[in-house]
């Protein structure tokens, strides 16, 4: 996706997150993040927004720690979140295409990386906020969901720290049924190796609409369809979680 599209999505998703959080209330539980209340979700996402902004705005070329979570709640917390989100969007929109700063996944440029990463970060957490509110969640565009699956498979789970591994080589297929996107994920004792296309016989296939697969692969909802060996779907669910843990957390 184009960087400008990703920034526009980030803008929209952050506003939707804030609206859902305000309507649900900061005391509300977040069903998709067990143990969290809405205040935890908003504090975390707002912290990540400021962390990301600093790399682009201040041109940090090496890892720079976040500033921690704020001791805010209620209206003050939501104002803090909206201000940080707006600064992130404006910083990315105003940054030169060749801005030089640290990033941690392959991308055409640092700016493209941060726009993509924060658009997906915010979309997943917007879904979390809407889960606290209940009702029908806001839709996720097919092309954006496909991009997010690409980021997850070719970025996060291509790294050595991915825990999605099998003792014996296995093949996991991911198929978006509302488009022609298909991924082949080769599992082994090493980090997963993903390719676009139907390139090997699959031991298990995860299939469904792109947006549902996107959220499922981020462990936000059940897989829409599983065929073959269900143990590989369980393996993904149990080992693929990505948590905040320092410079290579994502």
């Amino acid at each position: 996706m184009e960087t400008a599209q990703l920034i526009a999505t980030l803008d929209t998703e952050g506003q939707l997150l804030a609206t859902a959080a305000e309507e649900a209330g900061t005391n509300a539980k977040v069903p998709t993040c067990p143990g969290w209340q809405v205040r935890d979700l908003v504090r975390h996402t707002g912290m990540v927004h400021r962390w990301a902004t600093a790399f682009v705005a201040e041109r940090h070329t090496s890892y720079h720690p976040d500033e921690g979570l704020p001791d805010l709640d209620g209206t003050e917390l939501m104002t803090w979140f909206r201000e940080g989100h707006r600064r992130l969007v404006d910083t990315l929109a105003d940054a030169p295409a060749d801005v030089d700063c640290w990033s941690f996944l392959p991308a055409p440029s640092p700016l493209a990386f941060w726009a993509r990463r924060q658009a997906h970060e915010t979309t997943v957490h917007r879904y979390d906020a809407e889960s606290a509110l209940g009702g029908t969640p806001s839709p996720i565009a097919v092309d954006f969901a496909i991009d997010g699956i690409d980021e997850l498979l070719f970025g996060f789970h291509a790294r050595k720290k991915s825990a999605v591994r099998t003792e014996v080589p296995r093949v996991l297929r991911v198929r978006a049924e509302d488009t022609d996107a298909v991924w082949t994920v080769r599992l082994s004792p090493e980090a997963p190796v993903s390719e676009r296309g139907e390139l090997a016989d699959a031991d298990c296939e995860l299939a469904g609409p792109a947006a549902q697969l996107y959220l499922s692969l981020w462990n936000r909802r059940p897989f829409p369809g599983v065929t073959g060996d269900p143990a590989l779907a369980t393996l993904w669910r149990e080992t693929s979680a990505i948590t905040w843990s320092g410079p290579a957390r994502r």
Side-chain angles (χ1 to χ4, degrees):
M1 293 184 68
E2 296 295 327
T3 298
Q5 292 177 278
L6 292 165
I7 295 172
T9 299
L10 166 63
D11 192 356
T12 298
E13 293 290 337
Q15 294 183 55
L16 288 172
L17 190 162
T19 297
E22 288 169 340
E23 292 183 12
T26 57
N27 288 324
K29 293 181 179 180
V30 181
T32 52
C33 299
W36 269 17
Q37 293 176 294
V38 167
R39 65 172 59 84
D40 302 304
L41 175 67
V42 174
R43 288 170 180 168
H44 167 77
T45 311
M47 175 272 289
V48 173
H49 284 172
R50 283 167 166 74
W51 179 74
T53 298
F55 287 105
V56 180
E58 301 171 21
R59 309 298 199 262
H60 295 298
T61 55
S62 60
Y63 173 73
H64 191 75
D66 63 80
E67 296 182 355
L69 301 176
D71 186 19
L72 298 173
D73 203 353
T75 301
E76 289 185 343
L77 175 60
M78 297 312 307
T79 297
W80 174 86
F81 174 84
R82 288 184 181 276
E83 288 174 348
H85 170 249
R86 175 46 48 200
R87 183 160 183 253
L88 173 60
V89 171
D90 291 345
T91 295
L92 293 173
D94 294 341
D98 62 352
V99 63
D100 183 23
C101 64
W102 181 81
S103 58
F104 59 89
L105 293 179
S109 69
L111 181 61
F113 163 79
W114 284 112
R116 183 193 210 190
R117 177 80 294 277
Q118 291 309 300
H120 290 295
E121 174 90 15
T122 306
T123 299
V124 171
H125 287 319
R126 179 272 295 168
Y127 184 82
D128 293 333
E130 290 184 343
S131 78
L133 182 61
T136 303
S138 302
I140 297 172
V142 171
D143 60 344
F144 183 75
I146 297 299
D147 182 75
I149 295 171
D150 275 343
E151 184 201 40
L152 192 59
L153 296 180
F154 294 112
F156 289 123
H157 286 291
R159 300 182 308 165
K160 291 182 179 179
K161 70 179 298 181
S162 175
V164 184
R165 301 175 185 231
T166 56
E167 292 185 9
V168 176
R170 308 295 300 279
V171 175
L172 179 67
R173 177 101 66 240
V174 178
R175 185 186 304 277
E177 295 179 326
D178 50 352
T179 181
D180 60 359
V182 180
W183 296 262
T184 297
V185 185
R186 301 177 190 272
L187 304 176
S188 74
E190 304 299 323
V193 176
S194 298
E195 302 170 274
R196 273 289 196 109
E198 196 165 338
L199 304 177
D201 292 337
D203 296 293
C204 176
E205 179 169 298
L206 310 176
Q212 291 185 36
L213 282 175
Y214 170 74
L215 292 168
S216 299
L217 290 167
W218 274 107
N219 295 317
R220 262 41 189 203
R221 57 181 299 165
F223 290 112
V226 178
T227 56
D229 185 357
L232 292 185
T234 301
L235 175 74
W236 183 276
R237 183 72 68 203
E238 293 179 348
T239 64
S240 68
I242 295 168
T243 58
W244 186 268
S245 59
R249 64 127 195 150
R250 288 280 185 175

